[in-house]
Amino acid sequence: MEARALRVGPSRPASKRGPQPRFVGGSAAMQRLLRVVARVGPKDITVLVGGETGTGKELVASLVHAQSIRSSAPLVVFNCAAIPGELAEAELFGHARGAFTDAVETRRGFFAQADGGTLVLDEVGELPPTVQAKLLRVLQQGEIQPIGAGRVERVDVRVVACTNRDLVEEARAGRFREDLYYRLAVVDLVVPPLREHREDIPALAAEFARRYAERFGMQDVRFQPELLDSLQRLEWPGNVRQLENAVARIVALSTGGEIGLEAFAAASAAPAADADAEAPPEGTLSLREQLDAVERSLIRRTMAAAGGNQSEAARRLGLSRGSLIERLKKYGPMVAR
């Protein structure tokens, strides 16, 4: 179901420059990034967008497309981490009828669907080596060969790749092709983590509150300054995605109007408490301590559900493996068992 949902992204309106995706970020760090995007977007070259999980890499990729001469053509997103390695080749390059079991009809791959437009390869570091080699051929020669087809097809696609991995280190370790890295990173953009542009948190929180209030049919939802100030001081290891999820939860559990610290603490802590843990007396924990308790409980339960596999737990939590390891060190071995 997820693969079908990801098959084709929305096309841009038929104009030279389609409307740009909504971007919130007035900090110096984000404005610098936008200036580079504005210079790179119109130039038809491959771009590699790096950054931690949840920083908004796919949004930056869509901004590159919106700035390009291809903005009226399709923008197609392929999530390399969502498709099993053995299926990635068929999904990217297509296949002929009867090419393998269950190939009951000819299917156009993501490259063919993006012909004339932009293909975003999200989490490109997850591609298996065999697919990396075929991707390199496409970037070098502009040709694809669907599985089971006896012919090659030419495609005109701009590739924007996103990754939360250090591909230079991955190449040194032999897990990513070095020649493919240089083909992808003609321009290398890095989206800063939220902790490096905290001044954007109030505007981001207000925007997310507006979006989810509209989605939930609520009116006049506002965050009190004290709540915005507290949000700005938190660490947000999951970056903008974690902030968005927190705001969605606050809005969903509120009754509208002005939302303060009490509503935030209740929305954050109530459902995440362990069933077998004794709740502390009301008012004895600070907001920071309550949030730490929620995070500790969530990590412990996720690690247990993942059988102690840190990579799998990090994926489920929307964190990089390094961020999860930092949390495990912070909360002690009790969450790692």
Side-chain angles (χ1 to χ4, degrees):
M1 291 174 62
E2 185 175 11
R4 287 200 298 271
L6 291 168
R7 194 169 303 283
V8 182
S11 298
R12 300 298 178 196
S15 60
K16 184 177 181 181
R17 293 287 171 86
Q20 292 197 13
R22 173 76 173 163
F23 182 88
V24 177
S27 64
M30 299 307 288
Q31 289 302 308
R32 282 195 300 270
L33 178 62
L34 281 181
R35 286 194 292 271
V36 178
V37 168
R39 290 197 298 268
V40 170
K43 301 175 178 65
D44 208 30
I45 54 178
T46 56
V47 176
L48 180 64
V49 184
E52 295 179 8
T53 298
T55 51
K57 297 184 292 294
E58 189 177 325
L59 173 60
V60 172
S62 66
L63 288 171
V64 171
H65 173 75
Q67 293 275 350
S68 74
I69 58 176
R70 301 172 181 264
S71 60
S72 59
L75 171 64
V76 179
V77 179
F78 178 76
N79 189 333
C80 303
I83 307 295
E86 60 272 16
L87 298 179
E89 181 179 352
E91 291 293 326
L92 277 174
F93 309 118
H95 61 77
R97 180 180 178 182
F100 50 84
T101 304
D102 295 332
V104 295
E105 61 182 3
T106 298
R107 174 173 293 174
R108 299 171 70 232
F110 278 75
F111 268 101
Q113 296 170 33
D115 194 21
T118 302
L119 175 62
V120 177
L121 297 176
D122 195 18
E123 302 305 343
V124 69
E126 302 289 340
L127 286 176
T130 54
V131 181
Q132 291 179 29
K134 294 179 183 296
L135 175 58
L136 179 62
R137 176 182 174 84
V138 179
L139 295 176
Q140 289 175 331
Q141 302 182 17
E143 295 178 345
I144 61 172
Q145 183 169 7
I147 297 176
R151 67 187 188 286
V152 297
E153 302 175 7
R154 291 203 61 82
V155 289
D156 175 24
V157 176
R158 181 186 195 175
V159 170
V160 179
C162 303
T163 182
N164 63 2
R165 296 188 179 188
D166 183 344
L167 294 188
V168 174
E169 184 59 36
E170 292 290 297
R172 289 181 185 142
R175 293 186 292 267
F176 197 82
R177 292 181 64 108
E178 186 176 15
D179 48 1
L180 177 57
Y181 166 74
Y182 288 116
R183 280 285 178 177
L184 292 172
V186 176
V187 173
D188 195 351
L189 303 179
V190 178
V191 185
L194 189 55
R195 62 182 175 274
E196 293 183 5
H197 58 110
R198 293 175 182 272
E199 58 267 46
D200 290 326
I201 290 177
L204 285 166
E207 171 63 16
F208 293 145
R210 181 195 64 78
R211 290 183 195 175
Y212 284 99
E214 182 178 320
R215 181 180 301 182
F216 301 151
M218 303 168 67
Q219 295 181 348
D220 193 30
V221 171
R222 303 179 308 280
F223 284 179
Q224 292 179 354
E226 294 81 4
L227 173 54
L228 292 174
D229 183 61
S230 292
L231 293 176
Q232 195 168 356
R233 291 199 302 269
L234 296 178
E235 289 299 318
W236 302 112
N239 295 296
V240 177
R241 183 182 301 156
Q242 184 186 11
L243 174 64
E244 180 179 1
N245 290 343
V247 170
R249 182 178 182 81
I250 296 168
V251 174
L253 295 177
S254 76
T255 56
E258 283 198 338
I259 301 176
L261 285 172
E262 298 81 4
F264 177 39
S268 299
D274 289 333
D276 56 352
E278 182 179 348
E282 184 176 356
T284 60
L285 294 180
S286 68
L287 176 62
R288 175 69 263 176
E289 290 170 329
Q290 292 183 57
L291 294 176
D292 282 347
V294 172
E295 187 175 66
R296 183 187 303 111
S297 173
L298 178 59
I299 292 175
R300 181 169 59 248
R301 288 185 284 112
T302 305
M303 283 291 293
N309 186 307
Q310 294 178 352
S311 297
E312 175 61 18
R315 185 190 68 79
R316 297 187 186 189
L317 290 165
L319 300 173
S320 68
R321 187 170 180 271
S323 295
L324 175 59
I325 291 174
E326 289 179 4
R327 260 49 197 176
L328 293 175
K329 291 179 180 177
K330 174 182 177 181
Y331 295 128
M334 56 178 284
V335 299
R337 63 172 183 261

